[in-house]
Amino acid sequence: MADEKAATLPRKTYEKELLRLQTELVKLQEWVRAEGARLVVVFEGRDAAGKGGTIKRVTEHLNPRIARIAALPKPTERERTQWYFQRYVEHLPAAGEIVLFDRSWYNRAGVEHVMGFCSKEEHQLFLRQCPIFERMLVEDGILLRKYWFSVNDEVQQDRFRRRLEDPLRRWKLSAMDLESISRWEAYSRAKDEMLVHTDILEAPWYVVESDDKRRARLNMIAHLLSTVPYREVSPPVLELPQRPGPTGYERPPRDLQTYVPDHSASL
């Protein structure tokens, strides 16, 4: 993208194109189900770069039994003693499933490395093993897509400030997020080193410019759709049956059941 900041995409244009892309995502989902495909989409990037909002738009109209989000908490004491990739493997899709990783095994290349939660040896081992791990996934037939959401420091700072002031989004902000402000360059170096080792032919990284969240969402979804050879699957033919006539059933008296109070009547 050009160095100059692009104007914010008009909401009407954004919503129209988002609906079109979400319709295509439903077609992609049905293709995955019908073909028994396995799709993994990794979302990584700076804090407040827009990963969560994009994931929400991707899954908004999808079947949660087919498309699910994997957002793992910090590892347990037992998990810390496992092979690093082990706890992520159990969240990989089976046939006919899509898994969206809201952060992934790349935690080791980012926050764990920068914050000192892993040793230098563990970090270097990850950089050696990760390309091997991902090649194994691809060789086994998994469709693996990796997106890095990039945001500049001023935009990130502004988003942090708005989260801090918004009671509905305050939960999105943690002390770890704020720590990333003072470690901006350390995270930049960690990201650069990660890309050098893990931007491989079999599973390349795709960078999403996300200073404008609307553009970022549309760009990411459109790109994902362009990389998967899906086709429209004809849905099964369904007919609404005629409702049968009454057979003498009587509804129990209303006072025998507990109803939710009509809060809306007080508005």
Side-chain angles (χ1 to χ4, degrees), residues 32-33 36-39 65-68 92-99:
V32 166
R33 178 190 58 78
R38 292 172 291 164
L39 175 60
R65 293 184 178 87
I66 296 175
R68 54 187 170 84
L92 294 173
E97 294 181 347
I98 301 170
V99 176

Side-chain angles (χ1 to χ4, degrees), residues 32-128:
V32 166
R33 178 190 58 78
E35 293 294 321
R38 292 172 291 164
L39 175 60
V40 171
V41 187
V42 169
F43 291 79
E44 291 287 346
R46 298 278 190 178
D47 294 319
K51 301 180 295 297
T54 303
I55 292 172
K56 181 178 180 180
R57 272 67 181 185
V58 169
T59 59
E60 189 170 5
H61 298 289
L62 300 184
N63 184 343
R65 293 184 178 87
I66 296 175
R68 54 187 170 84
I69 301 169
L72 276 61
K74 66 180 182 179
T76 64
E77 289 302 315
R78 180 178 182 275
E79 288 172 334
R80 291 178 189 276
T81 67
Q82 296 175 342
W83 176 48
Y84 176 72
F85 295 94
Q86 186 169 336
R87 74 186 191 119
Y88 294 98
V89 168
E90 64 179 286
H91 294 277
L92 294 173
E97 294 181 347
I98 301 170
V99 176
L100 310 171
F101 278 93
D102 186 357
R103 296 201 180 278
S104 65
W105 46 88
Y106 282 100
N107 276 340
R108 176 136 296 179
V111 63
E112 289 190 18
H113 172 52
V114 173
M115 299 301 297
F117 297 154
C118 68
S119 67
K120 292 181 180 180
E121 292 75 19
E122 289 173 327
H123 175 242
Q124 290 302 310
L125 181 61
F126 170 83
L127 294 178
R128 292 197 303 273

